[in-house]
Amino acid sequence: MNQVIGMTETHNPSSTPAATTPLVEVNGIEVIYNHVILVLKGVSLQVPHQSIVALLGNGAGKTTTLRAISNLLKGERGEVTKGGITLEGEQIANLSPAELVKRGVVQVMEGRHCFAHLTIEENLMTGSYTRTDKGEIAANLEKVYNYFPRLKTRRTSQAAYTSGGEQQMCAIGRALMSNPRMVLLDEPSMGLAPQIVDEVFHIVKDLNSKEKVTFLLAEQNTNMALKYADYGYIMESGRIVMDGKASDLANNEDVKEFYLGVGGSERKSFKDVKSYKRRKRWLA
Ligand SMILES: Nc1ncnc2c1ncn2[C@@H]1O[C@H](COP(=O)(O)OP(=O)(O)OP(=O)(O)O)[C@@H](O)[C@H]1O
Ligand SMILES: [Mg+2]
């Protein structure tokens, strides 16, 4: 396929033809909250093994997509009403969040969610609830401290008294304590200074390349996410309107105009952009 940036129905984030079943595949899901509010209107995406995939767009359904994958919709009175989600080809709709953690899929929720009264180390230990082997837990803790030296320094500090960046690192570190294959990371940059965001993303990239952890990253910070991701999907109003290799998206004129603060000052809908309309016609 010559087209660099394709529409959602035709995408294939993996550049190697030999790549087989993606780690996670979302197939045309619809999600409804409170029985009436249709939020996802047929979302499809693929997360290949050992990749970093970014899910971009503002208020567009990113969190809902992550919740659908990790089966956290019930607590929000939401449900998947159409389509399906597979983990290595197997449907996962009936697996609880805890069962998914056991299979290596763990979510770091938006807003960091550390236990304020626990120390950093106690917070990290809560992430090992699916593991029983003490040696393995200790090794995981050392690994987390190795990737996040700041957390080691702050291990005995109460989480409430640590910085936003340290709390985000703690939330990611806690997820790592379950030895995941895949981390769904919701808005890690939220409220953090650019330098700290860079530090966090750098560690994510390191975990991806050295520990082979796959990441699905929901981010409003398009610039930063595209800098570190391999592939990106842009959502608008519950649909994926564009997808492509992260480097291609970062250089795409429409993306620059809408999300990277370059180009005209008036923000239109992605649907008004000529090239988007053109792509749509091709598929019609
Ligand atoms: N629990 C809920 N009940 C009803 N509507 C919801 C619920 N959660 C989200 N929504 C609605 O679904 C739409 C998508 O929300 P979602 O949080 O998935 O998007 P997002 O891309 O993560 O947003 P943000 O960029 O603000 O993080 C929004 O219109 C939101 O109001
Ligand atoms: Mg969100």
Side-chain angles (χ1 to χ4, degrees):
M1 193 168 71
N2 292 332
Q3 195 178 346
V4 193
I5 297 174
M7 283 296 297
T8 169
E9 284 84 353
T10 53
H11 62 255
N12 177 15
S14 174
S15 51
T16 51
T20 49
T21 319
L23 183 55
V24 163
E25 187 159 20
V26 175
N27 289 310
I29 57 165
E30 260 186 29
V31 169
I32 294 183
Y33 284 113
N34 295 318
H35 303 292
V36 286
I37 310 163
L38 177 65
V39 166
L40 296 191
K41 302 158 187 169
V43 167
S44 299
L45 58 86
Q46 295 184 350
V47 185
H49 289 263
Q50 297 173 22
S51 61
I52 301 180
V53 173
L55 200 50
L56 308 165
N58 305 336
K62 305 184 302 295
T63 297
T64 302
T65 305
L66 296 197
R67 282 182 190 143
I69 296 171
S70 51
N71 241 324
L72 289 167
L73 280 172
K74 239 185 228 149
E76 302 288 329
R77 296 177 50 83
E79 59 175 328
V80 177
T81 50
K82 261 193 200 160
I85 301 169
T86 55
L87 175 64
E88 288 186 311
E90 186 198 342
Q91 292 289 339
I92 52 173
N94 296 323
L95 298 182
S96 68
E99 283 165 334
L100 279 166
V101 174
K102 281 191 190 144
R103 289 182 193 218
V105 179
V106 61
Q107 178 154 353
V108 178
M109 284 187 275
E110 196 175 315
R112 307 196 269 275
H113 296 287
C114 293
F115 298 105
H117 297 292
L118 300 185
T119 64
I120 289 291
E121 186 152 308
E122 285 164 347
N123 265 284
L124 292 175
M125 292 305 285
T126 63
S128 62
Y129 70 99
T130 55
R131 325 303 297 183
T132 46
D133 183 328
K134 284 201 173 118
E136 188 195 343
I137 293 172
N140 283 344
L141 188 63
E142 259 333 289
K143 192 162 74 188
V144 171
Y145 284 147
N146 189 25
Y147 280 94
F148 297 98
R150 272 167 183 263
L151 294 183
K152 190 164 192 173
T153 319
R154 304 287 264 141
R155 67 199 297 175
T156 57
S157 305
Q158 218 175 299
Y161 300 115
T162 61
S163 71
E166 286 160 352
Q167 286 177 25
Q168 183 62 68
M169 291 175 191
C170 181
I172 299 171
R174 188 173 57 197
L176 294 175
M177 290 296 290
S178 66
N179 237 350
R181 284 194 294 167
M182 176 171 184
V183 177
L184 304 157
L185 193 49
D186 200 351
E187 220 77 59
S189 77
M190 194 192 277
L192 302 182
Q195 205 184 329
I196 305 294
V197 176
D198 235 339
E199 193 179 328
V200 169
F201 274 67
H202 202 81
I203 296 169
V204 163
K205 190 84 183 168
D206 238 18
L207 285 162
N208 173 253
S209 55
K210 294 186 188 143
E211 304 294 328
K212 313 290 180 215
V213 181
T214 300
F215 285 90
L216 178 57
L217 184 69
E219 258 302 341
Q220 285 200 11
N221 189 336
T222 307
N223 207 2
M224 203 59 100
L226 289 179
K227 192 169 145 193
Y228 288 92
D230 304 304
Y231 200 87
Y233 290 88
I234 299 181
M235 294 188 79
E236 195 174 284
S237 306
R239 290 193 172 89
I240 286 163
V241 291
M242 192 180 263
D243 65 281
K245 270 169 67 182
S247 52
D248 294 338
L249 287 178
N251 289 318
N252 178 273
E253 291 306 320
D254 300 342
V255 177
K256 278 193 208 165
E257 182 178 345
F258 287 106
Y259 297 102
L260 301 178
V262 186
S265 54
E266 197 190 332
R267 267 172 84 115
K268 297 169 281 186
S269 161
F270 227 108
K271 294 189 189 83
D272 300 329
V273 174
K274 277 199 223 93
S275 50
Y276 171 69
K277 282 184 178 162
R278 194 169 61 235
R279 276 191 293 277
K280 222 172 170 185
R281 270 209 304 279
W282 286 343
L283 289 160

